[in-house]
Amino acid sequence: MTDPKPLRVGMVGYAFMGAAHSHAWRTAPRFFDLPLSPELTAVAGRNEVGVRAAAAKYGWSSVETDWHRLIERDDIDLIDICTPGNTHAEIAIAALEAGKHVLCEKPLANSVEEAEKMTAVAQAAAERGVLSMCGFSYRRTPALALAKRMVDDGRLGDIRHVRAQYLQDWLSDADAPLTWRLDKAKSGSGSLGDIGAHSIDAAQWITGLNITGVSALLETFVKERPVGGDFVGLGGHGGSDGPRGPVTVDDAALFTARFEARHDDGAGAGSGRGTPAGPIGIFEATRFALGRKNAMRLELNGTKGSISFDFEDMNSLQFYDSALEPDAGFRKIIVTEPSHPYTANWWPTGHGLGYEHGFTHQVVDLVNAIGAGEQPSPSFADALQVQKVLAAVEASADNASRWQNVDEESS
């Protein structure tokens, strides 16, 4: 058996997401049989000292201080974009037009207009065999992938409710420093796009239904923050007496949503009274929920059953089957069995996985798709749909929470 052909990766950015992606590229071929062999060929960053340190730490063979040079290199097959949102469109478009496959972190862009341009270029590139994917990594959490399988198998019947929360607390300190995530020009939005985008993507993916309209409220609790300080993790602590700069994004986002109706057999699986209306949803994203570290939660209620997931207990899924256990309530499924998504390639039953495994599974799915010449999921078109929901939420919040149809928001 011959060794698989190499897939030579060039990554742009090397901070939080860069570390997670580096780990994934290194780990995936050691636990999964892949049609191509990922190689950590080069990493790019503007700070030469910083990027060289990251390359040595994470295992990259070479460095560039200009992402344009990375794309120009003949020894790079794929560009992995781990930079702030304001740079995604330029890098992704240049890479695709240069014939490089692209993995781009979420959200896809900072505006619908940028996302539409990226999607158009991606679709044209796909016709030439150049593929792209957006990095909504929570899709690769085994418990959420199992939830998707159960919904697709009809275990919940028709979905009536979607209830999504993403709760963190790392910005609760009013003196946490002013990072790029709090600058709309760089990040596009605050909690809405940073973490709320994950909830939107997960909800649409698992249900198989797009959000069609929203009514929203955005809030910024702390209007100014220290421009410097001690940076720890995503946040840190700045001096309370030093200069402060404006926070230009939301700290918290709330919105109700309507999903499209399912159009399959023309009748609801639960009622038998004609085509059901689409599910209704409620979404919350905040980085001010003290005590919640990474509570990415999703609950679906259908005509036959319900599922509930919380990433702070990421190796389990709560499931209620109204036919089998009408009086018993939810039961807990430990998602570590070989029959569950992704888990057969890891540890014995009951030995849980962690945050980093979602990125490894993302690499596995991407490399398998490239090897097969098939469109990876989520595509840029899928990510564009999320971008349209984000824009509709902002438009509604800017208009006294009035109902905003997603397909009416184009910029």
Side-chain angles (χ1 to χ4, degrees):
M1 181 177 179
T2 60
D3 292 334
K5 180 181 176 181
L7 179 69
R8 301 163 298 181
V9 180
M11 188 174 73
V12 189
Y14 55 86
F16 172 28
M17 281 297 100
H21 284 224
S22 298
H23 179 275
W25 288 114
R26 289 197 316 270
T27 305
R30 289 168 172 79
F31 285 84
F32 292 80
D33 294 326
L34 301 177
L36 301 168
S37 179
E39 294 182 356
L40 283 69
T41 302
V43 58
R46 291 174 298 179
N47 183 310
E48 184 172 1
V49 173
V51 74
R52 289 193 179 279
K57 184 174 184 178
Y58 301 137
W60 294 89
S61 298
S62 62
V63 302
E64 297 286 354
T65 55
D66 184 339
W67 62 263
H68 295 88
R69 304 288 83 77
L70 200 66
I71 291 175
E72 291 168 357
R73 287 176 54 158
D74 293 332
D75 62 343
I76 299 293
D77 303 308
L78 181 146
I79 298 295
D80 184 356
I81 303 170
C82 298
T83 54
N86 64 312
T87 65
H88 287 184
E90 185 181 9
I91 299 172
I93 290 171
L96 290 168
E97 290 181 339
K100 316 291 188 184
H101 304 299
V102 169
L103 171 61
C104 182
E105 257 303 323
K106 63 80 219 165
L108 186 61
N110 277 6
S111 71
V112 170
E113 181 181 12
E114 286 181 338
E116 287 175 335
K117 291 178 181 177
M118 294 169 73
T119 300
V121 172
Q123 290 172 341
E127 295 178 359
R128 306 190 304 272
V130 179
L131 302 173
S132 54
M133 186 174 83
C134 189
F136 284 105
S137 58
Y138 284 102
R139 288 191 180 200
R140 273 76 188 193
T141 305
L144 280 179
L146 178 61
K148 167 67 171 172
R149 180 192 296 175
M150 295 169 74
V151 170
D152 288 348
D153 289 344
R155 302 288 297 276
L156 272 63
D158 291 326
I159 307 301
R160 289 171 169 165
H161 288 282
V162 176
R163 203 167 292 109
Q165 292 179 309
Y166 203 144
L167 313 177
Q168 297 177 336
D169 71 354
W170 61 272
L171 273 179
S172 297
D173 180 0
D175 288 328
L178 191 68
T179 69
W180 70 265
R181 294 176 188 272
L182 304 178
D183 180 353
K184 187 174 179 62
K186 294 180 179 179
S187 64
S189 65
S191 62
L192 175 62
D194 186 25
I195 55 180
H198 277 301
S199 296
I200 294 166
D201 178 72
Q204 294 187 141
W205 169 63
I206 290 177
T207 63
L209 303 171
N210 286 338
I211 293 170
T212 60
V214 299
S215 173
L217 176 68
L218 300 178
E219 181 63 43
T220 303
F221 299 115
V222 179
K223 312 296 185 184
E224 293 183 333
R225 289 185 176 276
V227 296
D230 297 322
F231 294 89
V232 180
L234 294 175
H237 188 78
S240 57
D241 298 328
R244 303 174 80 87
V247 174
T248 53
V249 299
D250 58 283
D251 287 330
L254 299 171
F255 65 95
T256 55
R258 168 73 73 181
F259 289 73
E260 64 186 341
R262 184 177 297 281
H263 301 288
D264 41 21
D265 60 0
S271 67
R273 298 179 180 176
T275 304
I280 57 175
I282 185 164
F283 291 76
E284 177 184 11
T286 180
R287 299 180 290 203
F288 276 70
L290 276 170
R292 301 299 180 193
K293 303 306 176 182
N294 200 45
M296 191 273 198
R297 299 169 169 177
L298 185 66
E299 181 171 313
L300 306 181
N301 307 127
T303 54
K304 294 182 179 180
S306 298
I307 54 175
S308 181
F309 170 78
D310 185 340
F311 192 80
E312 289 188 344
D313 188 14
M314 65 168 288
N315 288 290
S316 72
L317 182 69
Q318 301 285 337
F319 175 53
Y320 173 70
D321 188 322
S322 63
L324 296 178
E325 302 164 312
D327 301 320
F330 282 86
R331 63 183 175 91
K332 186 175 185 178
I333 302 172
I334 305 300
V335 190
T336 58
E337 297 293 333
S339 60
H340 294 151
Y342 303 108
T343 53
N345 287 72
W346 295 104
W347 320 122
T349 296
H351 295 70
L353 303 186
Y355 173 72
E356 72 280 9
H357 289 83
F359 294 92
T360 301
H361 301 155
Q362 178 172 269
V363 163
V364 169
D365 290 345
L366 175 58
V367 174
N368 280 328
I370 293 172
E374 299 174 349
Q375 173 59 53
S377 179
S379 66
F380 278 18
D382 297 327
L384 170 59
Q385 165 62 21
V386 175
Q387 200 79 44
K388 289 180 178 179
V389 176
L390 297 176
V393 168
E394 289 193 301
S396 173
D398 287 343
N399 194 25
S401 302
R402 287 183 173 86
W403 189 259
Q404 176 69 47
N405 290 328
V406 171
D407 59 6
E408 292 177 0
E409 182 55 44
S410 61
S411 63

Coordinates of all heavy atoms in Angstrom, one line a residue, residues 151 155-164 206-207 209 259 277-282 298-309 318-322 330:
V151 N -32.4 13.3 14.8 CA -33.4 14.1 14.1 C -33.6 13.6 12.7 O -34.7 13.5 12.2 CB -32.9 15.6 14.1 CG1 -33.8 16.4 13.2 CG2 -32.9 16.2 15.5
R155 N -36.5 10.5 15.0 CA -36.7 10.2 16.4 C -37.5 11.3 17.2 O -38.1 11.0 18.2 CB -35.4 9.9 17.2 CG -34.6 8.8 16.5 CD -35.1 7.4 16.8 NE -35.2 7.1 18.2 CZ -34.2 6.5 18.9 NH1 -33.0 6.4 18.3 NH2 -34.3 6.2 20.1
L156 N -37.4 12.5 16.8 CA -38.1 13.6 17.4 C -39.4 14.0 16.8 O -40.1 14.8 17.3 CB -37.2 14.8 17.5 CG -36.3 14.9 18.8 CD1 -35.3 13.8 18.8 CD2 -35.5 16.3 18.8
G157 N -39.7 13.4 15.6 CA -40.9 13.8 14.8 C -40.7 15.2 14.3 O -39.5 15.6 13.9
D158 N -41.7 16.0 14.1 CA -41.6 17.4 13.7 C -41.1 18.2 14.8 O -41.6 18.2 15.9 CB -43.0 17.9 13.2 CG -43.5 17.2 12.0 OD1 -42.7 16.9 11.1 OD2 -44.7 17.0 11.8
I159 N -40.1 19.1 14.5 CA -39.6 20.0 15.5 C -40.5 21.1 15.7 O -40.9 21.8 14.8 CB -38.2 20.5 15.1 CG1 -37.3 19.3 14.8 CG2 -37.6 21.3 16.2 CD1 -37.1 18.3 15.9
R160 N -40.8 21.4 17.0 CA -41.7 22.6 17.3 C -40.9 23.7 18.0 O -41.1 24.9 17.7 CB -42.8 22.1 18.3 CG -43.8 21.2 17.6 CD -44.8 20.6 18.6 NE -45.9 20.0 18.0 CZ -46.7 19.1 18.6 NH1 -46.5 18.8 19.9 NH2 -47.7 18.6 18.0
H161 N -40.0 23.4 18.9 CA -39.2 24.4 19.6 C -37.7 24.2 19.4 O -37.2 23.0 19.4 CB -39.4 24.3 21.1 CG -40.7 24.8 21.6 ND1 -41.0 26.1 21.7 CD2 -41.8 24.1 22.0 CE1 -42.3 26.2 22.2 NE2 -42.8 25.0 22.3
V162 N -37.0 25.3 19.2 CA -35.5 25.3 19.2 C -35.1 26.3 20.3 O -35.5 27.4 20.2 CB -34.9 25.7 17.9 CG1 -33.4 25.7 17.9 CG2 -35.3 24.7 16.8
R163 N -34.3 25.8 21.2 CA -33.9 26.6 22.4 C -32.4 26.6 22.5 O -31.8 25.6 22.7 CB -34.5 26.1 23.6 CG -34.7 27.0 24.8 CD -35.6 26.4 25.9 NE -37.0 26.3 25.4 CZ -37.6 25.1 25.0 NH1 -36.9 24.0 25.2 NH2 -38.8 25.1 24.6
A164 N -31.7 27.8 22.2 CA -30.3 27.8 22.1 C -29.7 28.9 23.0 O -30.2 30.0 22.9 CB -29.8 28.0 20.7
I206 N -28.8 20.9 12.6 CA -29.4 19.7 13.2 C -30.9 19.6 12.7 O -31.3 18.5 12.4 CB -29.3 19.8 14.7 CG1 -27.9 19.6 15.2 CG2 -30.2 18.8 15.4 CD1 -27.6 19.7 16.6
T207 N -31.6 20.7 12.6 CA -33.0 20.6 12.2 C -33.1 20.5 10.7 O -34.1 20.0 10.2 CB -33.7 21.9 12.6 OG1 -33.2 23.0 11.9 CG2 -33.7 22.2 14.1
L209 N -33.3 23.0 8.8 CA -34.2 24.1 8.5 C -33.5 25.4 8.7 O -32.8 25.6 9.7 CB -35.5 24.0 9.3 CG -36.3 22.7 9.3 CD1 -37.3 22.7 10.3 CD2 -36.9 22.5 7.9
F259 N -38.3 29.4 12.0 CA -37.7 28.5 11.0 C -38.6 28.2 9.9 O -39.9 28.3 10.1 CB -37.2 27.2 11.6 CG -36.1 27.3 12.6 CD1 -36.3 27.9 13.9 CD2 -34.8 26.9 12.3 CE1 -35.2 27.9 14.8 CE2 -33.8 26.9 13.2 CZ -34.0 27.5 14.4
A277 N -46.4 24.3 10.6 CA -45.6 25.5 10.5 C -44.1 25.2 11.0 O -43.9 24.2 11.6 CB -46.2 26.6 11.4
G278 N -43.2 26.0 10.6 CA -41.8 25.8 11.0 C -41.7 26.0 12.5 O -42.5 26.7 13.1
P279 N -40.6 25.4 13.0 CA -40.3 25.6 14.5 C -40.1 27.1 14.9 O -39.8 27.9 14.0 CB -39.0 24.8 14.7 CG -38.9 23.9 13.5 CD -39.6 24.6 12.3
I280 N -40.4 27.3 16.1 CA -40.0 28.6 16.7 C -38.8 28.5 17.5 O -38.6 27.4 18.1 CB -41.2 29.3 17.5 CG1 -41.7 28.3 18.6 CG2 -42.4 29.6 16.5 CD1 -42.7 29.0 19.5
G281 N -38.0 29.5 17.6 CA -36.7 29.4 18.4 C -36.5 30.6 19.2 O -37.0 31.7 19.0
I282 N -35.7 30.4 20.2 CA -35.2 31.5 21.1 C -33.7 31.3 21.3 O -33.2 30.2 21.6 CB -35.9 31.6 22.4 CG1 -35.5 32.8 23.2 CG2 -35.8 30.3 23.2 CD1 -36.4 33.2 24.3
L298 N -28.2 23.5 23.5 CA -29.2 23.4 22.5 C -30.2 22.4 22.9 O -29.9 21.3 23.3 CB -28.5 23.0 21.2 CG -29.5 22.9 19.9 CD1 -29.9 24.3 19.6 CD2 -28.8 22.3 18.7
E299 N -31.5 22.7 22.8 CA -32.6 21.8 23.1 C -33.6 21.9 22.0 O -34.0 23.0 21.5 CB -33.2 22.2 24.5 CG -34.4 21.2 24.8 CD -34.9 21.4 26.2 OE1 -34.1 21.4 27.2 OE2 -36.1 21.4 26.4
L300 N -34.0 20.7 21.5 CA -35.1 20.6 20.5 C -36.2 19.9 21.1 O -36.0 18.8 21.7 CB -34.6 19.9 19.3 CG -33.3 20.4 18.6 CD1 -33.0 19.6 17.4 CD2 -33.4 21.9 18.2
N301 N -37.4 20.4 20.9 CA -38.6 19.7 21.3 C -39.5 19.4 20.1 O -39.8 20.3 19.3 CB -39.5 20.5 22.3 CG -38.7 21.0 23.5 OD1 -38.7 22.2 23.7 ND2 -38.0 20.1 24.2
G302 N -39.8 18.1 19.9 CA -40.6 17.7 18.7 C -41.9 17.0 19.1 O -42.3 17.0 20.2
T303 N -42.5 16.5 18.1 CA -43.8 15.8 18.3 C -43.7 14.4 18.9 O -44.6 13.8 19.4 CB -44.6 15.7 17.0 OG1 -43.8 15.1 16.0 CG2 -45.0 17.1 16.5
K304 N -42.5 13.8 18.8 CA -42.2 12.5 19.4 C -41.3 12.5 20.5 O -41.2 11.5 21.3 CB -41.7 11.6 18.2 CG -42.7 11.3 17.1 CD -42.0 10.3 16.1 CE -42.9 10.0 15.0 NZ -42.3 9.1 14.0
G305 N -40.4 13.5 20.6 CA -39.4 13.5 21.7 C -38.6 14.7 21.7 O -38.9 15.7 21.0
S306 N -37.6 14.8 22.6 CA -36.8 15.9 22.8 C -35.3 15.5 23.0 O -35.0 14.4 23.4 CB -37.2 16.7 24.0 OG -38.5 17.2 23.9
I307 N -34.4 16.4 22.6 CA -33.0 16.2 22.9 C -32.5 17.5 23.6 O -33.0 18.6 23.3 CB -32.1 15.9 21.7 CG1 -32.3 17.0 20.6 CG2 -32.4 14.5 21.2 CD1 -31.4 16.7 19.4
S308 N -31.5 17.4 24.4 CA -30.9 18.5 25.1 C -29.4 18.3 25.2 O -28.9 17.2 25.6 CB -31.5 18.7 26.5 OG -30.9 19.8 27.2
F309 N -28.6 19.3 25.0 CA -27.1 19.2 25.0 C -26.6 20.5 25.7 O -27.1 21.6 25.5 CB -26.6 19.2 23.5 CG -25.1 19.3 23.5 CD1 -24.3 18.2 23.8 CD2 -24.5 20.5 23.0 CE1 -22.9 18.4 23.7 CE2 -23.1 20.6 23.0 CZ -22.3 19.6 23.3
Q318 N -28.9 14.4 26.4 CA -30.1 14.1 27.0 C -31.2 13.8 26.0 O -31.4 14.6 25.0 CB -30.6 15.2 27.9 CG -29.6 15.6 29.0 CD -29.6 14.6 30.2 OE1 -30.5 13.9 30.4 NE2 -28.4 14.6 30.9
F319 N -31.9 12.7 26.1 CA -32.9 12.3 25.1 C -34.2 11.9 25.8 O -34.2 11.1 26.8 CB -32.4 11.2 24.3 CG -33.4 10.6 23.3 CD1 -34.1 11.4 22.4 CD2 -33.7 9.2 23.2 CE1 -35.0 10.9 21.5 CE2 -34.6 8.7 22.3 CZ -35.2 9.6 21.5
Y320 N -35.4 12.4 25.3 CA -36.7 12.0 25.8 C -37.5 11.4 24.6 O -37.6 12.1 23.6 CB -37.4 13.1 26.4 CG -38.9 12.8 26.8 CD1 -39.1 11.9 27.9 CD2 -39.9 13.3 26.1 CE1 -40.4 11.6 28.2 CE2 -41.2 12.9 26.4 CZ -41.5 12.1 27.5 OH -42.7 11.7 27.8
D321 N -37.9 10.2 24.8 CA -38.8 9.5 23.8 C -40.1 9.3 24.4 O -40.3 8.5 25.3 CB -38.1 8.1 23.5 CG -38.8 7.4 22.3 OD1 -40.1 7.5 22.2 OD2 -38.1 6.8 21.5
S322 N -41.1 10.0 23.8 CA -42.5 10.0 24.4 C -43.1 8.6 24.3 O -44.0 8.3 25.0 CB -43.3 11.1 23.7 OG -43.5 10.8 22.4
F330 N -36.2 12.7 30.7 CA -35.0 12.6 29.9 C -34.2 11.4 30.5 O -34.1 11.2 31.7 CB -34.2 13.9 29.9 CG -34.7 14.9 29.0 CD1 -35.7 15.8 29.4 CD2 -34.2 15.1 27.7 CE1 -36.2 16.8 28.6 CE2 -34.7 16.1 26.9 CZ -35.7 16.9 27.3

